[in-house]
Amino acid sequence: MTEDVTQEETWLTQEAFDRLSKELEHLSGPGRAEIAEKIEAARDEGDLKENGGYHAAREEQGKQEVRIRQLEQLLRSAKVGSSESDGKTVSPGSVVTAKVAGNEMRFLLGSREIAGDSDIDVFSEKSPLGAAVLGTSVGDKTSYEAPNGKEIAVEVTKIEAFSG
């Protein structure tokens, strides 16, 4: 049985795409060589069962390989360009200001990878809050269900394009 795996597009700014491409290049080239050297050096120390350095290096290698696969998938499915946000309707790449349960919040709708070093909160369009505001306009009221089952009211007050 073959599964039909559909690749979902992820919107990225050019800056985010370039930054992630450089990270992938480093991890899959020099990064892999550095880990291999650490493993080899630890292996040379002797008994692998009680060799903490060896096990730490192997764990680091595993985490690095997972990150490489994440980056490859993300970059393969990336839609690179400026924000799709027109400032009128919430879409990926929008910076949304909204009253959430009566408290004002400002967040980016999209991938954490877009925000980079920015301290802005990020919500995926698949998250409960993200799904609730996706496609709404300024003044629209919506809601989503919190994990505890409580309904959370949301009112969109401002929409901007993320400039990153």
Side-chain angles (χ1 to χ4, degrees):
M1 177 186 225
T2 313
E3 276 187 47
D4 180 28
V5 179
T6 55
Q7 193 83 333
E8 291 191 31
E9 270 187 355
T10 301
W11 171 78
L12 293 175
T13 61
Q14 186 65 54
E15 181 275 330
F17 183 85
D18 293 346
R19 178 174 33 83
L20 296 171
S21 294
K22 284 181 185 165
E23 180 183 351
L24 176 61
E25 187 178 315
H26 172 77
L27 290 177
S28 57
R32 276 187 172 142
E34 290 167 12
I35 295 285
E37 287 173 15
K38 285 181 186 178
I39 290 171
E40 191 58 37
R43 188 178 281 143
D44 290 344
E45 292 174 11
D47 186 9
L48 297 182
K49 287 181 185 174
E50 296 179 19
N51 187 328
Y54 173 78
H55 294 289
R58 292 291 302 199
E59 186 175 323
E60 185 180 346
Q61 180 185 42
K63 289 177 182 177
Q64 182 173 306
E65 291 302 318
V66 167
R67 180 64 177 160
I68 288 170
R69 286 192 298 278
Q70 287 173 333
L71 288 170
E72 287 172 342
Q73 181 180 353
L74 181 65
L75 294 171
R76 198 173 28 250
S77 66
K79 178 181 176 188
V80 181
S82 56
S83 169
E84 297 173 5
S85 178
D86 58 8
K88 297 178 180 150
T89 305
V90 176
S91 61
S94 295
V95 176
V96 180
T97 304
K99 288 183 184 166
V100 181
N103 299 314
E104 186 168 275
M105 281 181 73
R106 185 171 181 269
F107 59 91
L108 170 64
L109 185 69
S111 165
R112 292 197 187 285
E113 303 291 358
I114 300 167
D117 294 335
S118 170
D119 60 356
I120 191 167
D121 288 332
V122 180
F123 289 90
S124 161
E125 52 266 35
K126 295 177 197 83
S127 70
L129 175 58
V133 300
L134 187 63
T136 61
S137 301
V138 171
D140 284 354
K141 294 180 181 180
T142 186
S143 65
Y144 67 93
E145 189 174 319
N148 65 4
K150 185 178 175 190
E151 202 65 20
I152 308 292
V154 180
E155 180 182 356
V156 177
T157 58
K158 186 175 181 183
I159 303 167
E160 312 162 72
F162 180 72
S163 59

